[in-house]
Amino acid sequence: MILEERPDGAGAGEESPGLQGCDSLTQIQCGQLQSRRAQIHQQIDKELQMRTGAENLYRATSNNRVRETVALELSYVNSNLQLLKEELEELSGGVDPGRHGSEAVTVPMIPLGLKETKELDWSTPLKELISVHFGEDGASYEAEIRELEALRQAMRTPSRNESGLELLTAYYNQLCFLDARFLTPARSLGLFFHWYDSLTGVPAQQRALAFEKGSVLFNIGALHTQIGARQDRSCAEGACHAMEAFQRAAGAFSLLRENFSHAPSPDMSAASLCALEQLMMAQAQECVFEGLSPPASMAPRDCLAQLRLAQEAAQVAAEYRLVHRTMAQPPVHDYVPVSWTALVHVKAEYFCSLAHYHVAMALCDSSPTEGELPTHEQVFLQPPTSSKPRGPVLPQELEERRQLGKAHLKRAILGQEEALRLHALCRVLREVDLLRTVVSQTLQRSLAKYAELDREDDFCEAAEAPDIQPKTHQKPEARMPRLSQGKGPDIFHRLGPLSVFSAKNRWRLVGPVHLTRGEGGFGLTLRGDSPVLIAAVIPGSQAAAAGLKEGDYIVSVNGQPCRWWRHAEVVTELKAAGEAGASLQVVSLLPSSRLPSLGDRRPVLLGPRGLLRSQREHGCKTPASTWANPRPLLNWSRKAQQGKTGGCPQPCAPVKPAPPSSSKHPGWP
């Protein structure tokens, strides 16, 4: 506690009344915050109970009307859960929604809620698979299984920041390792993966690991949308960060749409993913405009800058019109919240009105030079019915410019009034005061400028304002999420390199065998790393007598696991064995096994094998096989797997036999 010093020395050690009041106020605020957190937790528990009951009824009934009613209730419950969790996250992080430490007001964005999932028990299937296929004690991998389960549990509730993205990506990469190591076309883990639809809240389940990976990838994109919506876009840096986040989200949805077909949940259908991708690109385009648009008090007065802003605003309006048309069509119309469609429509009208407002400012507040006229003419669209050659659109006379500016202001005012009308029609949007504030402020500026230009003796017929040509200096493109940022080691790396030790290969464990050094050495040639391969065995040598064969992989030397050892490390260990020899354990690949070839580039990350197998179980039609281009960490080719795990052994020169010496080191022919 800070002590207050008084000039007379009295009251030393007493607390300042002002500080006492501040401390009391802080305690009251903390108490209110904690009370609100408790209320939110109670509401979340209530919504979860309602969702469980509705889910049970949805699965039990066969009546279509009842299922439709329950699906609507699940959608409502899911929306409430998302709002409650976002509010809890804001309270825990000390963030005041809509306030970012700036007095500027920006139009709200549309963030996407995360898909939710149930707990999953990995223990039984993984232990059984490790014991049956890999020939090891499944109980010895308890620590790895607990680590995987803890990672999945943490992934269910990620924080709304970069740390949450790293958590989701780390789990996603582990799913890639699981797919490469434990799954085959004829084998699945035997687990049901339960996920709730992000848009409707309807539960879905599949046995395919591809469904789990696709759902996690969806959440990576959804979390990017939440990060973008939380940025302070009133400054250029914040607008840039928000734009990148929306681009990453669009990239995640695009990647999911290209690699995941016949999804069991509406939010992962091709139509929904296409609509979400368009929405994210429109919001990224809005961030481009906001990065260029200064506050109203600092608006540029030169004609060229205003016309550029007009074309940028027209580009944003065009993007939102496209999104609105997509959302208004079935089946997307049945999945997307009505408030989203309404907000997109409001934004289309709002940014169209902004385009006309900036053109009016260019006409009324500045005059173009003669050389700038051709550039300015390109801002306007020629009416499609006009057959006459178009002359200069921007008039040079001041009065003509004033009349045309009034016409554009009139269209701006009408558009802003229409945006406010659409805002008032939607009950959810009526509660978003920030949106109404932004549109109302812009309308007041337009009305003030129109009153400034209007004259009592103005009897001239109002000119017709032409449409604005959309154009942008920076067209956002979908960007792939950084799936490598959560890249970590394979949790089950103790099982060995994936190039050999996976469920796709079959092998036989041999040994341990005792190998002694003869006159010509051990009689074998070693090659490659991780694991080291026996490239050749001399007939009649000590290695041949011990039963070692060409093509065997050394997995243990003198009781030490060496699946991840390099060639030099195995050689050093054998040389150190001396006359006593060495104890080796090897694995022999069975003839039915086929090692991955460098030319086989079929993607195994998002399917199609696991997904299509599950489709057959659910009676879905299997489309013709189509293979996407390999992508980093998304479509794991077998060549990529080899690069991560040491790959197939590469040819190297055989080790020459060492001449006999007093140290009795082993030699290789």
Side-chain angles (χ1 to χ4, degrees):
M1 178 64 65
I2 301 176
L3 302 180
E4 180 185 19
E5 292 186 8
R6 299 185 179 179
D8 57 359
E14 296 181 4
E15 296 179 358
S16 167
L19 291 175
Q20 284 181 345
C22 181
D23 185 62
S24 300
L25 180 61
T26 302
Q27 291 178 358
I28 293 174
Q29 291 176 343
C30 291
Q32 292 175 345
L33 193 63
Q34 186 60 35
S35 176
R36 180 55 185 159
R37 285 198 189 101
Q39 292 176 2
I40 293 177
H41 279 294
Q42 292 176 358
Q43 291 175 344
I44 289 177
D45 292 339
K46 180 180 178 181
E47 296 291 342
L48 288 175
Q49 293 175 5
M50 293 177 61
R51 187 175 71 178
T52 301
E55 179 185 352
N56 293 336
L57 179 58
Y58 183 84
R59 291 175 175 171
T61 184
S62 58
N63 188 302
N64 291 333
R65 296 191 64 180
V66 174
R67 289 177 67 90
E68 291 177 1
T69 304
V70 175
L72 183 62
E73 179 65 22
L74 281 170
S75 176
Y76 179 75
V77 171
N78 186 68
S79 300
N80 287 345
L81 278 173
Q82 293 293 345
L83 293 175
L84 289 171
K85 290 183 177 181
E86 289 176 8
E87 183 178 357
L88 185 62
E89 176 73 17
E90 290 163 355
L91 290 176
S92 301
V95 178
D96 185 10
R99 308 261 182 198
H100 303 276
S102 173
E103 294 300 327
V105 182
T106 55
V107 180
M109 294 291 190
I110 299 179
L112 190 62
L114 302 182
K115 293 173 69 72
E116 295 188 18
T117 182
K118 293 183 177 181
E119 293 185 4
L120 191 65
D121 180 18
W122 294 92
S123 178
T124 302
L126 289 180
K127 285 181 179 179
E128 180 181 353
L129 190 56
I130 290 172
S131 300
V132 173
H133 187 84
F134 292 86
E136 299 194 26
D137 183 13
S140 64
Y141 285 84
E142 282 279 1
E144 285 84 351
I145 295 175
R146 284 198 303 268
E147 182 180 354
L148 178 64
E149 291 179 339
L151 181 60
R152 189 181 191 275
Q153 182 65 21
M155 173 276 310
R156 295 175 62 192
T157 55
S159 56
R160 269 60 171 174
N161 51 32
E162 291 295 329
S163 299
L165 285 175
E166 293 178 1
L167 186 62
L168 284 169
T169 306
Y171 179 66
Y172 182 80
N173 289 325
Q174 291 303 319
L175 292 177
C176 299
F177 286 124
L178 289 175
D179 192 355
R181 186 179 296 280
F182 294 113
L183 299 186
T184 65
R187 185 200 301 270
S188 68
L189 293 175
L191 290 171
F192 275 107
F193 300 99
H194 298 260
W195 287 86
Y196 291 92
D197 190 276
S198 173
L199 301 177
T200 64
V202 175
Q205 64 179 18
Q206 272 196 354
R207 287 182 180 271
L209 187 65
F211 181 45
E212 177 88 347
K213 287 182 287 188
S215 299
V216 175
L217 181 59
F218 183 94
N219 276 359
I220 291 175
L223 188 54
H224 273 295
T225 70
Q226 297 186 12
I227 292 175
R230 293 165 66 94
Q231 298 296 319
D232 178 12
R233 306 191 317 278
S234 62
C235 61
E237 183 180 2
C240 183
H241 290 327
M243 179 183 68
E244 181 180 0
F246 290 127
Q247 286 177 291
R248 300 283 184 190
F253 298 140
S254 174
L255 193 58
L256 190 57
R257 176 174 53 85
E258 293 171 0
N259 291 273
F260 200 91
S261 58
H262 296 282
S265 57
D267 57 356
M268 293 171 62
S269 65
S272 296
L273 291 173
C274 182
L276 293 176
E277 184 181 353
Q278 291 178 358
L279 174 61
M280 295 308 118
M281 296 309 298
Q283 295 190 144
Q285 190 70 61
E286 182 179 347
C287 294
V288 173
F289 172 80
E290 290 174 332
L292 296 174
S293 181
S297 59
M298 301 174 58
R301 302 188 67 84
D302 62 290
C303 186
L304 187 58
Q306 289 285 0
L307 291 178
R308 285 176 179 171
L309 287 175
Q311 288 193 292
E312 291 285 352
Q315 181 67 41
V316 178
E319 296 285 345
Y320 277 119
R321 287 195 196 99
L322 177 62
V323 178
H324 182 257
R325 285 198 298 268
T326 303
M327 287 185 173
Q329 297 294 326
V332 180
H333 179 267
D334 301 328
Y335 306 146
V336 173
V338 177
S339 59
W340 288 15
T341 307
L343 179 56
V344 166
H345 197 183
V346 169
K347 286 192 173 188
E349 294 292 337
Y350 170 69
F351 281 101
C352 182
S353 70
L354 273 185
H356 288 286
Y357 173 80
H358 285 293
V359 168
M361 295 300 100
L363 290 169
C364 301
D365 292 349
S366 59
S367 299
T369 62
E370 184 176 351
E372 291 177 343
L373 275 177
T375 302
H376 294 166
E377 292 175 16
Q378 299 175 5
V379 174
F380 302 102
L381 289 173
Q382 184 177 7
T385 58
S386 176
S387 59
K388 298 180 180 180
R390 184 176 58 181
V393 176
L394 292 183
Q396 292 294 297
E397 296 296 330
L398 182 61
E399 180 60 23
E400 294 179 356
R401 292 168 61 83
R402 185 184 68 84
Q403 291 291 340
L404 187 57
K406 281 184 60 178
H408 280 286
L409 276 176
K410 184 177 180 180
R411 287 196 63 176
I413 292 171
L414 291 176
Q416 289 151 12
E417 290 177 342
E418 176 65 12
L420 288 175
R421 186 187 70 83
L422 294 173
H423 173 272
L425 290 177
C426 181
R427 181 182 61 85
V428 177
L429 291 186
R430 286 200 299 268
E431 299 176 1
V432 184
D433 296 333
L434 189 61
L435 177 60
R436 180 178 179 84
T437 300
V438 173
V439 181
S440 298
Q441 289 178 354
T442 308
L443 176 60
Q444 292 303 318
R445 290 199 302 268
S446 300
L447 290 173
K449 189 64 179 178
Y450 190 86
E452 178 184 335
L453 296 177
D454 196 21
R455 297 175 182 173
E456 294 183 0
D457 58 347
D458 192 357
F459 300 108
C460 297
E461 183 178 355
E464 182 180 355
D467 293 329
I468 312 301
Q469 173 70 49
K471 185 179 179 182
T472 178
H473 81 291
Q474 182 180 357
K475 181 68 174 176
E477 296 181 355
R479 302 176 63 182
M480 294 301 106
R482 299 189 188 94
L483 298 176
S484 59
Q485 69 179 1
K487 183 70 174 177
D490 180 10
I491 291 179
F492 294 92
H493 72 281
R494 279 202 296 137
L495 289 172
L498 282 169
S499 58
V500 177
F501 302 99
S502 71
K504 298 176 179 64
N505 296 325
R506 295 175 58 245
W507 62 84
R508 177 172 54 90
L509 188 63
V510 179
V513 297
H514 190 71
L515 186 63
T516 58
R517 178 182 176 276
E519 293 183 359
F522 286 144
L524 50 81
T525 300
L526 304 182
R527 186 178 69 185
D529 298 319
S530 304
V532 175
L533 172 72
I534 298 178
V537 176
I538 302 297
S541 64
Q542 298 293 328
L548 300 180
K549 298 178 181 179
E550 178 182 347
D552 289 348
Y553 290 93
I554 301 177
V555 297
S556 175
V557 179
N558 294 328
Q560 302 181 60
C562 63
R563 299 185 180 191
W564 289 98
W565 284 15
R566 301 184 66 82
H567 177 274
E569 294 175 296
V570 175
V571 170
T572 301
E573 187 68 22
L574 291 177
K575 285 183 177 180
E579 295 182 354
S583 175
L584 298 182
Q585 195 171 24
V586 300
V587 293
S588 299
L589 291 181
L590 300 181
S592 59
S593 299
R594 181 178 70 87
L595 279 175
S597 63
L598 296 180
D600 192 350
R601 290 183 175 272
R602 287 188 175 185
V604 298
L605 183 62
L606 285 180
R609 295 189 181 274
L611 176 61
L612 297 183
R613 180 172 64 254
S614 178
Q615 289 171 357
R616 289 194 293 270
E617 295 172 0
H618 288 79
C620 298
K621 295 182 179 180
T622 303
S625 297
T626 56
W627 306 106
N629 293 330
R631 299 179 182 272
L633 293 173
L634 247 301
N635 297 328
W636 276 64
S637 65
R638 291 189 169 93
K639 182 176 181 181
Q641 295 173 12
Q642 295 162 8
K644 297 295 181 184
T645 61
C648 292
Q650 300 297 323
C652 65
V655 181
K656 300 297 182 181
S661 62
S662 57
S663 60
K664 303 295 183 182
H665 288 312
W668 288 262

